[in-house]
Amino acid sequence: MAGEPTVGVLALQGDVREHLAALGAAGARAVPVRRVGELAAVDGLVLPGGESTTIFKLARLFGLLEPLREAVADGLPVYGSCAGMIMLADKILDPRSGQETFGGIDMIVRRNAFGRQNESFEASFAMTGVPGAPVDGVFIRAPWVESVGAGAEVLATYDGHVVAVRQGSALATSFHPELTGDHRVHALFTEMVRERPGGSSR
Ligand code: GLN
């Protein structure tokens, strides 16, 4: 794909503005996505941090649940941070009653695994696909990945727990790089969007 890819940020709930800014800094044309028509117009999609139960409910309400599942299954590049990671997991270990995900990554996540809001922290660690200095991540009621299937690649661990995973054109992190000013994870995702095999020529 030549030029700037158009990358959407699912704008139902969560830290949408921060992702839009980080994507812009990483060389993408970043746009909010709230409707099916807007979803059809993007080359890739970010699922922000926030509250996965709320994002799930609003996605269902806005008629986005099935279109999003189909888009991800179809290979639309997606990146989920924190709540977004939960939404990309094929399975949640401890879902709230009735909570579902979009799926896309063969992994099982544990919600709030790193503790409550007041146990939020910042950490740095090496991440495959992000060369150079360690990545800075903010963890806020963050999930971790309990287990990954054969098709999923672990990109980073922190404190013995898996915190970044990639499967094909789907990327997920437990942490929020969008809150740190370190835009390299968004640059990695923007590159994945550019490299999508047979990617959009929009
Ligand atoms: N604990 C939240 C959830 O279950 C995620 C927190 C976050 O995105 N910062 O959705």
Side-chain angles (χ1 to χ4, degrees):
M1 186 188 307
E4 246 183 2
T6 300
V7 179
V9 179
L10 186 65
L12 301 175
Q13 190 266 342
D15 65 343
V16 175
R17 250 186 324 172
E18 289 79 357
H19 275 290
L20 290 170
L23 285 166
R29 194 175 83 82
V31 295
V33 168
R34 285 188 196 87
R35 296 171 200 284
V36 177
E38 292 165 343
L39 176 64
V42 296
D43 303 311
L45 185 71
V46 168
L47 309 176
E51 177 50 52
S52 56
T53 53
T54 307
I55 294 173
F56 162 64
K57 283 186 199 149
L58 291 175
R60 195 172 49 184
L61 197 67
F62 280 62
L64 276 166
L65 192 56
E66 286 311 322
L68 256 162
R69 282 180 173 151
E70 280 165 26
V72 175
D74 235 35
L76 178 75
V78 281
Y79 164 44
S81 71
C82 203
M85 168 186 255
I86 296 169
M87 294 308 298
L88 286 177
D90 283 351
K91 187 161 186 250
I92 305 176
L93 193 69
D94 50 350
R96 281 263 284 275
S97 151
Q99 181 179 9
E100 297 172 31
T101 68
F102 304 133
I105 300 184
D106 183 6
M107 63 180 173
I108 301 175
V109 294
R110 181 189 289 273
R111 297 178 59 227
N112 304 326
F114 282 106
R116 300 166 179 283
Q117 190 89 22
N118 60 7
E119 293 164 281
S120 299
F121 60 95
E122 197 167 338
S124 39
F125 38 82
M127 179 167 163
T128 303
V130 180
V135 168
D136 293 323
V138 176
F139 293 74
I140 305 169
R141 288 188 305 124
W144 69 47
V145 180
E146 285 282 332
S147 63
V148 295
E153 184 193 359
V154 171
L155 301 185
T157 59
Y158 173 70
D159 204 20
H161 301 290
V162 173
V163 295
V165 173
R166 176 175 179 176
Q167 181 172 328
S169 54
L171 176 70
T173 63
S174 299
F175 53 91
H176 299 267
E178 72 278 12
L179 300 179
T180 61
D182 180 353
H183 303 308
R184 290 175 299 158
V185 174
H186 290 79
L188 167 65
F189 179 59
T190 302
E191 208 42 48
M192 288 166 58
V193 175
R194 282 184 206 281
E195 285 170 0
R196 178 189 182 184
S200 153
S201 52
R202 269 187 291 269

